[in-house]
Amino acid sequence: MTRYVALLRGINVNGITIAMTDLAETFHELGYTDVKTVLASGNVIFSIDSPLVDKTDAAALKARIEKALAARFDYEAWIVLVDAESLDRIVRAYPFDADRDGWHPYVMFSSDPGHLSELAGHRKELEAAEERIELGHGVLYWEVRKSVGIKSAFSKKSAKLKYRNTTTTRNLHTLHKLLELTPG
């Protein structure tokens, strides 16, 4: 068995409301086991019988889940998949002080690495006293002052429509919660 995390984009905001019990049921109906949801922002942990062999397998799994979500909940579903082992490495590699007082620690995931590289290109434009970003292995790390939040320059850049169906951001503390539920 291999544990995966599906990070759903854009649910329980802007009129797309999905109960976590219904979300978990959808994953069960797809044949996945050990399904757990974490918070109401679209984090699903589940197991599959065997690890994905390559990017083609991962793309097929992603497409299957998105199709099921779209059919059941009548919205254009976008997810990013990450296996539990990779998620652990990503969290441990967070390059900033995750407990920095007055700051939010975030990790941006994407199903399109080119988008992460493009967004990382804005690094020098940011005011370091308000926020910082750093490109990681398959993710973009971001820390931002709580007082600035979604009004930050990077937040505005990353919110562009072109990134909507490929990126999703999670607070590092949420990722720690996910890892607590993915032992092994």
Side-chain angles (χ1 to χ4, degrees), residues 138-151:
V139 296
L140 187 65
Y141 297 106
W142 175 36
E143 74 167 358
V144 62
R145 271 192 192 282
K146 289 180 179 179
S147 62
V148 177
I150 62 170
K151 295 177 185 171

Side-chain angles (χ1 to χ4, degrees), residues 9-173:
R9 170 96 167 66
I11 70 163
N12 294 335
V13 294
N14 300 325
I16 300 170
T17 304
I18 298 175
M20 294 301 99
T21 53
D22 294 337
L23 182 58
E25 184 177 287
T26 302
F27 277 73
H28 280 293
E29 289 170 357
L30 287 168
Y32 307 129
T33 56
D34 302 320
V35 176
K36 296 177 182 170
T37 61
V38 178
L39 303 174
S41 57
N43 306 292
V44 184
I45 303 165
F46 62 100
S47 293
I48 62 173
D49 290 333
S50 58
L52 302 177
V53 176
D54 56 26
K55 289 182 181 184
T56 303
D57 285 353
L61 178 61
K62 177 182 180 313
R64 182 174 189 243
I65 294 169
E66 288 173 340
K67 182 178 178 182
L69 293 171
R72 177 150 187 188
F73 301 110
D74 194 32
Y75 84 109
E76 193 171 358
W78 299 299
I79 69 166
V80 173
L81 278 177
V82 62
D83 64 87
E85 188 176 305
S86 295
L87 182 61
D88 183 57
R89 280 193 306 271
I90 289 165
V91 168
R92 283 187 285 116
Y94 189 78
F96 309 119
D97 178 0
D99 298 315
R100 189 174 182 187
D101 191 38
W103 291 72
H104 286 296
Y106 291 113
V107 179
M108 178 180 280
F109 296 83
S110 181
S111 55
D112 182 342
H115 282 170
L116 292 177
S117 295
E118 187 176 307
L119 286 165
H122 296 291
R123 181 178 179 182
K124 293 180 181 177
E125 302 167 22
L126 304 179
E127 178 57 52
E130 294 183 357
E131 63 186 332
R132 295 187 296 174
I133 59 174
E134 186 171 313
L135 192 59
H137 184 70
V139 296
L140 187 65
Y141 297 106
W142 175 36
E143 74 167 358
V144 62
R145 271 192 192 282
K146 289 180 179 179
S147 62
V148 177
I150 62 170
K151 295 177 185 171
S152 80
F154 182 73
S155 182
K156 291 175 184 174
K157 290 177 187 313
S158 65
K160 289 182 180 178
L161 186 60
K162 72 186 279 183
Y163 305 120
R164 187 176 73 175
N165 65 346
T166 63
T167 64
T168 190
T169 303
R170 294 294 185 276
N171 188 292
L172 190 67
H173 304 300

